[in-house]
Amino acid sequence: MAKQINVALIGNPNTGKTSVFNALTGLNQKVGNYPGITVEKKEGICKLPKGLKAHIIDLPGTYSLNASSLDESVVIELLLNQQHKDFPDVAVVVTDVENLKRNLLLYTQIKDLEIPTILAINMADRMTYKGIQLDIPYLEKELQTKIALISTRKNKGIDHLKELITNYKALSTQACLEASEIDKPYFEGLQKAFPNQLLYKLWLVITQDVNFGTLERQDIDAIQDFKTKSKADLKRLQQKETIKRYQFINNTLKKGQTIDLSSAKDLRIKLDRILTHKVFGYLIFFGILMLIFQAIYDWAELPMEFIDGAFASLSEWVKASLPSGAFTDLVAEGVIPGIGGVVIFIPQIAFLFLFISILEETGYMSRVVFLMDKIMRRFGLSGKSVVPLMSGTACAIPAIMATRNIENWKERLITILVTPFTTCAARLPVYLIIIALVIPEGTLFGLSYKALTLMLLYLIGFVTAVLSAKLLNNILNIKSKSYFVVEMPNYKLPLFKNVALTVIEKTKSFVFGAGKIILAISIVLWFLASYGPGDQFNNAEEIITIEYANQNVSEDDLQQKIAAHKLEHSFIGITGRAIEPVIKPLGYDWKIGIALISSFAAREVFVGTLATIYSVGSDDEDTIKNRMAKEKHPVLGTPLFNLASGISLLLFYAFAMQCMSTLAIVKRETNSWKWPLYQLVIMTAFAYIVALIAYQVLK
Ligand code: GDP
Ligand code: MG
């Protein structure tokens, strides 16, 4: 069997790790989460010469081995644990030729761990433009390594990198500087106490409070000698260590690198000035956002209609060609529409990530973050939360997936939790029909009351999202530091390969992650709506036919009445009746109860369900509206849909977590059921209370 080695890609954020990863692995990659936490884990296979296979991991970006975030701890934990199944046989430190000095700090730390290390200097295509020259043999000697000068953009040097990986046994495992010189006696003592341990590992255990193998910080502290260092002492030593590393790097680069500044262009400076401008910056950003959402709506509409139609035809075809019975019903009415309900999201997800990935690739996203960070941070959000929050107005599913770009876990979690408050497109049909029913004619400042109500609903969604973010920021007790990114990446044309892989990967992770849950819940909901206990359900046809035998009703009307009768006595119908006492104080009856429950599949189902219950053709909105207008309150005898119950219902839909797909995606993105369940309970309770107050005050 061919031998397989572990290769870890390590480097500062934005140095091109993922690009190198893509270049090495192509489509042989998969993305998951690290067990138990939500940091993304990318791995793939790269075939090397001599029948060797490399298992490549794209580690999260990290500035140093001094952990300050969840992402960074992942890297340290892996590098310290030789027993780990992913422990690298060889580490490839990816650096950006334009930021070598900063990037090399991490490199020198990795070298101290005595792992065979290759230095990949990426973005070589920028060297002429920036007037950078490198003395590779000199650098290889000083840094005690092999260097691959590469450009993933121009696809240069990748083969050389593969060759170096293949010959990883020839790599030096020597540290390139003596970090222990910062306090010789201390380090000598340390080594004496633990002769079998690597000094730098010991140092990391002491300063980072990370464990590796069986060695824990307490073990070291237990030895009296080392208690002598206070926390402040250790901090000072750490600073000394960093300074020492930078001295070494500076000296090395002084000889190994020449930069001819005159050839560096100042286009970037000019662009930055406009794109992060206090006024134009925001205008441009919102202009771009508007363009993106317009495009998502317009472009996704056609494929979505197509998918909708295709699955409907498939259902019909199955019904027509399989023998009728429970199994055929399950496939045609449960499974196929369920899969359709997953696939329907693909166009929106693909388009949104196409744009996001282009914005990231060009370097523009970093400017946006810079621009929005100050404002968003006040609410416990990140500059990058703007995109999910805005995308939420189309649909929460792609929006919540877009939070992956937020490195800081707390900010990301808050964004995930509040995004469902923004008004998604599926709420629109519900809003429109209720507004048409209960909001009176009339205008204010030239705007009709109806339009104003709709605008208010959007505004309420947004304001609630931001305010609850603020609240969560105060109550969530999660430690996580934010990067303060001083340096912005250069502007670049997007790499097509990176963009395409991002789109494919996001779509895949949605279909196989959240898709399963969506499919399962939709089959359950279908079952509950299509089956029921007792005679009323099973003999619906006879009961209705007899009831209307002497009346002159058309065959269509009869069928609709049967469907209504069945739904009323199905499991969902029974549940709808059962919850009537609970929703009565909100001004709803059991029919609305049924619609509330079934619209958990997707909010827009609300209208269709009411249409079935009121037994009207579901494609004719006007008749539903008329039918709803005629509906009487069971006790009071007044119209069921009046201003009070209408507003109450609008507010309920504005706040309730009324969407199984959102639950599924939150489960997938947070890696636990805890957060989606909190969301479900708290948002629904909140919606209930607000709707209750609204109805009781207005009635
Ligand atoms: P990561 O954060 O380290 O994973 O970096 P990415 O792979 O996401 O790349 C960061 C940015 O650098 C992206 O905009 C890439 O298109 C760009 N990039 C990657 N490799 C190259 C390269 O060889 N040359 C140039 N000019 N840009 C590159
Ligand atoms: Mg990356």
Side-chain angles (χ1 to χ4, degrees):
M1 212 187 78
K3 191 175 165 345
Q4 182 164 317
I5 58 167
N6 280 329
V7 178
L9 297 178
I10 309 170
N12 294 14
N14 269 313
T15 51
K17 285 178 306 303
T18 304
S19 306
V20 173
F21 177 78
N22 290 343
L24 289 175
T25 58
L27 278 171
N28 298 318
Q29 46 176 267
K30 60 173 199 245
V31 184
N33 275 325
Y34 284 89
I37 53 173
T38 37
V39 175
E40 201 168 87
K41 179 178 184 180
K42 274 192 171 156
E43 43 195 341
I45 296 290
C46 169
K47 288 214 175 82
L48 296 170
K50 300 184 191 165
L52 198 63
K53 260 199 209 159
H55 169 244
I56 316 246
I57 315 185
D58 181 11
L59 287 173
T62 167
Y63 286 106
S64 70
L65 289 186
N66 312 329
S68 65
S69 75
L70 203 58
D71 289 21
E72 292 184 322
S73 355
V74 167
V75 178
I76 296 168
E77 265 159 35
L78 174 62
L79 294 180
L80 289 188
N81 182 4
Q82 237 144 347
Q83 258 62 54
H84 198 293
K85 71 171 178 34
D86 290 336
F87 183 80
D89 295 293
V90 52
V92 176
V93 177
V94 181
T95 54
D96 171 0
V97 73
E98 289 181 53
N99 292 306
L100 261 189
K101 188 160 130 189
R102 187 162 52 95
N103 294 170
L104 283 176
L105 176 74
L106 177 67
Y107 169 83
T108 64
Q109 290 183 312
I110 308 254
K111 277 295 273 181
D112 284 4
L113 289 174
E114 302 190 353
I115 298 168
T117 306
I118 297 169
L119 180 61
I121 304 183
N122 189 26
M123 319 227 183
D125 52 295
R126 307 273 306 167
M127 287 172 70
T128 352
Y129 176 72
K130 285 277 168 167
I132 302 174
Q133 280 177 328
L134 296 177
D135 181 347
I136 299 286
Y138 175 82
L139 289 175
E140 283 187 336
K141 191 171 120 266
E142 290 297 308
L143 298 171
Q144 307 247 28
T145 186
K146 288 286 174 197
I147 294 179
L149 189 60
I150 60 178
S151 161
T152 54
R153 169 151 312 206
K154 297 261 148 54
N155 204 12
K156 289 223 167 91
I158 303 294
D159 285 337
H160 182 216
L161 177 61
K162 285 187 187 173
E163 212 173 282
L164 293 179
I165 297 175
T166 314
N167 300 320
Y168 72 102
K169 289 212 166 112
L171 291 165
S172 141
T173 52
Q174 293 259 303
C176 48
L177 75 160
E178 282 292 334
S180 61
E181 274 172 14
I182 48 177
D183 188 338
K184 267 206 170 132
Y186 176 72
F187 279 93
E188 271 163 16
L190 196 59
Q191 186 73 81
K192 256 196 212 117
F194 299 92
N196 298 324
Q197 298 288 2
L198 189 64
L199 196 54
Y200 191 59
K201 273 194 188 178
L202 290 169
W203 178 233
L204 282 179
V205 173
I206 294 170
T207 52
Q208 302 303 310
D209 230 350
V210 286
N211 304 330
F212 74 92
T214 52
L215 187 61
E216 296 190 8
R217 168 130 191 214
Q218 296 115 278
D219 301 335
I220 300 178
D221 279 347
I223 295 178
Q224 269 306 318
D225 294 359
F226 302 108
K227 273 231 169 108
T228 53
K229 295 272 183 232
S230 67
K231 269 220 155 80
D233 280 345
L234 285 174
K235 260 244 131 58
R236 223 165 293 135
L237 265 187
Q238 250 186 311
Q239 279 161 1
K240 260 177 115 176
E241 180 201 337
T242 307
I243 292 170
K244 182 147 179 66
R245 290 184 190 281
Y246 272 125
Q247 275 169 353
F248 167 76
I249 295 167
N250 279 338
N251 286 335
T252 309
L253 288 182
K254 212 181 272 168
K255 274 204 201 144
Q257 173 185 252
T258 51
I259 301 180
D260 175 11
L261 276 174
S262 63
S263 62
K265 305 259 163 60
D266 61 355
L267 176 69
R268 172 187 158 155
I269 298 168
K270 280 192 192 137
L271 264 178
D272 272 354
R273 209 169 284 157
I274 302 171
L275 294 180
T276 58
H277 189 271
K278 272 191 206 126
V279 179
F280 299 121
Y282 293 104
L283 287 180
I284 293 171
F285 176 52
F286 283 105
I288 291 178
L289 272 184
M290 287 300 128
L291 269 178
I292 291 181
F293 295 121
Q294 194 56 39
I296 292 178
Y297 272 122
D298 283 355
W299 298 358
E301 198 181 303
L302 208 71
M304 283 171 87
E305 272 171 20
F306 172 78
I307 291 168
D308 214 21
F311 277 90
S313 326
L314 187 63
S315 273
E316 272 169 33
W317 180 81
V318 167
K319 263 194 152 166
S321 40
L322 289 185
S324 63
F327 177 75
T328 306
D329 284 352
L330 171 69
V331 174
E333 292 167 4
V335 177
I336 293 178
I339 297 177
V342 176
V343 176
I344 194 93
F345 286 114
I346 290 180
Q348 283 191 346
I349 291 175
F351 281 127
L352 180 65
F353 282 101
L354 177 72
F355 290 116
I356 289 186
S357 155
I358 290 175
L359 292 187
E360 290 240 310
E361 278 278 310
T362 50
Y364 178 65
M365 200 61 108
S366 307
R367 274 74 187 179
V368 172
V369 174
F370 175 82
L371 204 62
M372 303 301 300
D373 232 26
K374 240 197 252 151
I375 306 174
M376 302 303 279
R377 215 162 278 285
R378 266 188 232 156
F379 299 100
L381 297 164
S382 133
K384 291 190 185 175
S385 308
V386 177
V387 177
L389 285 179
M390 299 295 285
S391 320
T393 57
C395 175
I397 311 305
I400 285 172
M401 290 177 70
T403 61
R404 287 233 179 145
N405 294 322
I406 304 170
E407 289 92 358
N408 178 299
W409 169 236
K410 185 175 179 184
E411 290 166 0
R412 180 169 165 217
L413 181 64
I414 292 179
T415 313
I416 290 176
L417 293 179
V418 306
T419 294
F421 277 124
T422 56
T423 304
C424 69
R427 261 173 267 202
L428 211 50
V430 183
Y431 284 175
L432 289 179
I433 197 154
I434 296 174
I435 287 177
L437 267 178
V438 305
I439 302 296
E441 298 294 339
T443 57
L444 188 71
F445 307 123
L447 274 170
S448 76
Y449 288 152
K450 296 185 190 219
L452 272 174
T453 310
L454 190 62
M455 266 174 53
L456 268 177
L457 284 166
Y458 271 89
L459 195 69
I460 286 176
F462 216 72
V463 170
T464 314
V466 173
L467 291 183
S468 40
K470 176 98 183 139
L471 190 69
L472 284 170
N473 187 35
N474 293 336
I475 58 178
L476 280 183
N477 188 14
I478 296 175
K479 259 197 286 173
S480 64
K481 270 191 221 161
S482 242
Y483 287 131
F484 179 61
V485 184
V486 205
E487 210 149 340
M488 286 195 233
N490 286 306
Y491 293 102
K492 295 178 187 104
L493 281 176
L495 270 180
F496 174 74
K497 191 168 181 179
N498 284 358
V499 175
L501 284 172
T502 305
V503 172
I504 293 172
E505 173 213 296
K506 297 289 169 188
T507 311
K508 255 172 51 184
S509 83
F510 166 73
V511 171
F512 297 108
K516 283 184 290 204
I517 305 172
I518 298 177
L519 179 60
I521 302 182
S522 43
I523 291 177
V524 170
L525 280 176
W526 163 80
F527 176 82
L528 295 179
S530 320
Y531 290 88
D535 287 348
Q536 286 292 336
F537 181 86
N538 292 314
N539 303 329
E541 216 162 323
E542 289 80 357
I543 293 170
I544 294 295
T545 317
I546 294 169
E547 191 180 334
Y548 289 90
N550 299 324
Q551 293 172 36
N552 192 14
V553 283
S554 71
E555 179 60 20
D556 272 2
D557 281 356
L558 200 63
Q559 286 307 325
Q560 277 154 8
K561 292 212 179 342
I562 294 171
H565 193 80
K566 275 190 152 174
L567 185 58
E568 184 184 338
H569 294 95
S570 68
F571 290 113
I572 278 197
I574 292 166
T575 323
R577 278 187 185 277
I579 63 166
E580 197 179 48
V582 180
I583 56 176
K584 213 171 211 161
L586 311 185
Y588 317 154
D589 65 353
W590 59 271
K591 295 179 187 175
I592 298 181
I594 295 178
L596 278 184
I597 296 170
S598 45
S599 71
F600 190 62
R603 279 176 256 244
E604 65 271 26
V605 169
F606 178 80
V607 181
T609 308
L610 282 184
T612 309
I613 297 184
Y614 297 147
S615 56
V616 290
S618 59
D619 46 9
D620 195 346
E621 284 220 354
D622 196 41
T623 34
I624 304 178
K625 196 180 129 190
N626 289 340
R627 193 63 196 73
M628 284 165 84
K630 274 190 242 149
E631 196 65 18
K632 291 280 187 295
H633 193 283
V635 185
L636 305 174
T638 49
L640 181 67
F641 292 96
N642 51 31
L643 189 69
S645 65
I647 298 276
S648 153
L649 202 51
L650 286 175
L651 289 172
F652 187 83
Y653 268 90
F655 297 129
M657 174 72 147
Q658 190 62 5
C659 174
M660 63 167 181
S661 310
T662 308
L663 280 185
I665 199 73
V666 173
K667 148 79 174 65
R668 151 98 205 163
E669 294 298 310
T670 59
N671 222 358
S672 86
W673 278 108
K674 178 171 125 191
W675 297 112
L677 290 179
Y678 273 152
Q679 227 173 351
L680 177 68
V681 172
I682 293 173
M683 286 178 70
T684 308
F686 180 60
Y688 184 88
I689 292 167
V690 174
L692 178 72
I693 294 172
Y695 180 70
Q696 295 301 334
V697 169
L698 289 172
K699 105 181 150 174

